[in-house]
């Protein structure tokens, strides 16, 4: 029976596991831990050798920066040289929660964690297991300052994990000696945090939305007083913004319903298709090799299940996954982003 976080109350078994995980981090080891977005693959943010283990395990280029996770009591001035009014307002409104802020990096924070960039991604997650881990770790670091660098706990370019079992399936070669996996139940949000670049000064810099997520541009605008800008060519690099990312192994296409129906008509006999649609009442008749699956009608519920569904479908022997294009409204922006990148991996082969 996995140990599940229940609100702020953690069972004695969960606490014991977290104590072991803190020790692993202090020893320079890897710990995968739950957050409300996706599971992270963590290491001490201030030990370059520990950070190298993350890059090696993921197969991620060392120029792609990591997010540093801190507990709610963290002193942000330790991590950044400037907390602009925008940054402070966003942290006050959305932390702990699924928001990453890009800030100027304090000079004593190692280059390795931010892929050589002068900025640092910082996030305070709300998941109780993550918070207990981060607080437990920080209190045992000099001065009570400590952070855990963590990308999503998947191999580079693959689907992010939303369950501890996904992490174990992703890194069997590291278990159990080189990687400890903390249990925290299924991730509530299901897709990675919203990332906002607030590294500039208030007077000459508009915050930039680098990665859409559960916290929408409209919610950010309510706090900032203006919509965040879009990434420019010189904006910092976000590996999750690579065109092909978050991809399952089975070819995937995202199509409006009429085109999805034509794609089914054109699929050769015997080609096993999963069609993920908003309405299963309309089905092409007489196709034994097509399974229609009803998706969630709300973007939050859709996001919660998306990565687990991609993993399930990948294991079910389909030849082709067809996803109906979600509504073109702002609330669905993060889903469009993730589905688009998953499909981009197959554009050449289809
Ligand atoms: O929800 C999340 O953000 C999860 C959980 C574990 O917190 N983490 C996550 O990490 O998605 P990762 O590494 O898979 O994606 C983090 C993204 C990367 O695309 C990286 O390029 C970007 O954040 N990033 C990190 N630091 C940055 C920086 N200093 N400047 C620009 N982008 C940065
Ligand atoms: Mg990732």
């Amino acid at each position: 029976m996995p140990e599940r976080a229940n609100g702020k109350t953690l069972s004695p078994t969960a606490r014991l596991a977290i104590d072991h995980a803190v020790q692993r981090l202090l020893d320079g080891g890897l710990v995968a831990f739950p957050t409300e977005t996706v599971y992270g693959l963590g290491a001490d943010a201030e030990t370059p050798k520990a950070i190298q283990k993350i890059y090696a395990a993921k197969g991620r280029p060392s120029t792609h920066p990591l997010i540093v996770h801190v507990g709610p009591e963290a002193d942000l001035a330790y991590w950044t040289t400037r907390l602009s009014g925008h940054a402070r307002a966003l942290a006050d409104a959305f932390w702990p929660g699924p928001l990453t802020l890009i800030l100027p990096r304090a000079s004593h924070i190692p280059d390795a964690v931010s892929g050589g960039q002068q900025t640092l991604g910082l996030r305070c997650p709300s998941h109780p297991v993550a918070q207990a881990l981060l607080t437990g770790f920080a209190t045992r670091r000099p001065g009570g300052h400590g952070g855990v660098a963590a990308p999503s706990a998947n191999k580079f370019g693959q689907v992010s994990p939303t369950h501890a079992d996904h992490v174990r399936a992703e890194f069997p070669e590291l278990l159990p000696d080189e990687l400890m996996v903390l249990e925290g139940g299924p991730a509530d949000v299901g897709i990675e945090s919203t990332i906002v670049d607030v590294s500039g000064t208030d007077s000459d810099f508009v915050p930039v939305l680098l990665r859409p997520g559960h916290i929408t541009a409209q919610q950010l605008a309510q706090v900032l007083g203006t919509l965040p800008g879009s990434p420019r060519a010189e904006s910092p690099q976000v590996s999750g913004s690579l065109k092909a990312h978050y991809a399952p192994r089975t070819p995937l296409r995202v199509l409006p319903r009429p085109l999805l129906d034509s794609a089914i008509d054109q699929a050769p006999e015997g080609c096993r298709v999963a069609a993920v649609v908003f309405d299963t009442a309309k089905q092409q008749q007489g196709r034994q090799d097509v399974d229609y699956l009803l998706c969630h009608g709300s973007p939050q519920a859709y996001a919660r299940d998306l990565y687990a569904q991609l993993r399930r479908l990948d294991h079910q022997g389909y030849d082709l996954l067809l996803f109906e294009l979600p509504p073109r409204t702002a609330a669905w922006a993060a889903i469009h982003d993730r589905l688009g990148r998953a499909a981009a991996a197959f554009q050449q082969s289809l």
Side-chain angles (χ1 to χ4, degrees):
M1 182 62 186
E3 203 50 56
R4 289 197 52 170
N6 175 16
K8 294 276 167 194
T9 340
L10 296 171
S11 70
T13 325
R15 291 215 164 271
L16 199 63
I18 291 166
D19 287 346
H20 284 144
V22 166
Q23 191 58 51
R24 285 254 189 158
L25 292 172
L26 291 166
D27 293 342
L30 291 177
V31 172
F33 62 100
T35 83
E36 68 280 17
T37 57
V38 300
Y39 277 67
L41 181 65
D44 177 2
E46 294 177 83
T47 301
K49 265 195 172 157
I51 293 169
Q52 292 319 328
K53 290 183 187 171
I54 296 178
Y55 284 102
K58 271 189 76 103
R60 173 169 171 147
S62 61
T63 50
H64 288 211
L66 304 176
I67 295 172
V68 174
H69 298 71
V70 293
E73 66 299 311
D75 174 9
L76 301 185
Y78 178 78
W79 298 98
T80 182
T81 51
R82 180 180 53 239
L83 204 60
S84 67
H86 286 139
R88 195 177 297 278
L90 291 177
D92 284 349
F94 298 114
W95 280 2
L99 176 72
T100 296
L101 297 177
I102 306 298
L103 300 163
R105 174 166 57 96
S107 58
H108 61 96
I109 307 301
D111 256 3
V113 77
S114 56
Q117 312 214 26
Q118 295 311 306
T119 52
L120 183 72
L122 208 61
R123 174 160 118 76
C124 174
S126 63
H127 195 292
V129 171
Q131 289 198 354
L133 177 73
L134 294 167
T135 302
F137 177 65
T139 45
R140 294 193 50 199
R141 292 276 306 165
H145 301 294
V148 175
S152 51
N154 54 278
K155 295 273 164 63
F156 183 64
Q158 299 299 319
V159 176
S160 295
T162 54
H163 197 285
D165 286 343
H166 300 165
V167 181
R168 285 188 280 265
E170 201 79 16
F171 300 104
E173 71 281 12
L174 298 181
L175 298 171
D177 294 346
E178 291 166 65
L179 173 65
M180 176 176 177
V181 181
L182 280 175
E183 297 280 348
D188 196 36
V189 170
I191 54 170
E192 306 80 356
S193 60
T194 304
I195 303 182
V196 185
D197 183 357
V198 276
S199 59
T201 56
D202 286 325
S203 53
D204 65 0
F205 187 84
V206 179
V208 176
L209 179 58
L210 294 180
R211 181 172 71 184
H214 180 77
I215 295 173
T216 63
Q218 286 65 30
Q219 286 174 287
L220 297 170
Q222 280 171 7
V223 174
L224 297 170
T226 171
L227 275 171
S230 305
R232 297 173 304 271
E234 70 271 23
S235 293
Q237 189 181 27
V238 175
S239 63
S241 70
L242 292 178
K243 207 163 170 229
H245 216 75
Y246 312 115
R249 290 173 178 82
T250 316
L252 180 151
R253 299 180 70 188
V254 185
L255 298 166
R257 186 62 191 263
L259 292 181
L260 182 147
D261 290 335
S262 324
I264 289 174
D265 283 342
Q266 287 157 20
E269 204 62 39
C271 171
R272 287 200 58 216
V273 180
V276 179
V277 294
F278 287 89
D279 179 1
T280 46
K282 312 184 267 174
Q283 296 194 6
Q284 315 291 88
Q285 298 306 318
R287 291 292 307 244
Q288 302 300 319
D289 43 9
V290 179
D291 290 330
Y292 286 86
L293 307 165
L294 185 65
C295 64
H296 294 281
S298 91
Q300 291 79 15
Y302 196 111
R304 192 173 300 133
D305 195 37
L306 176 61
Y307 290 150
Q309 180 176 47
L310 289 177
R311 281 173 189 269
R312 277 196 304 275
L313 292 173
D314 248 353
H315 286 108
Q316 288 172 357
Y318 290 107
D319 301 303
L320 179 61
L321 310 178
L322 297 176
F323 277 68
E324 181 176 353
L325 188 74
R328 277 271 171 221
T329 58
W332 288 87
I335 302 290
H336 278 282
D337 176 74
R338 303 308 192 276
L339 281 180
R341 291 181 204 290
F346 302 102
Q347 252 161 19
Q348 259 98 54
S349 57
L350 286 172

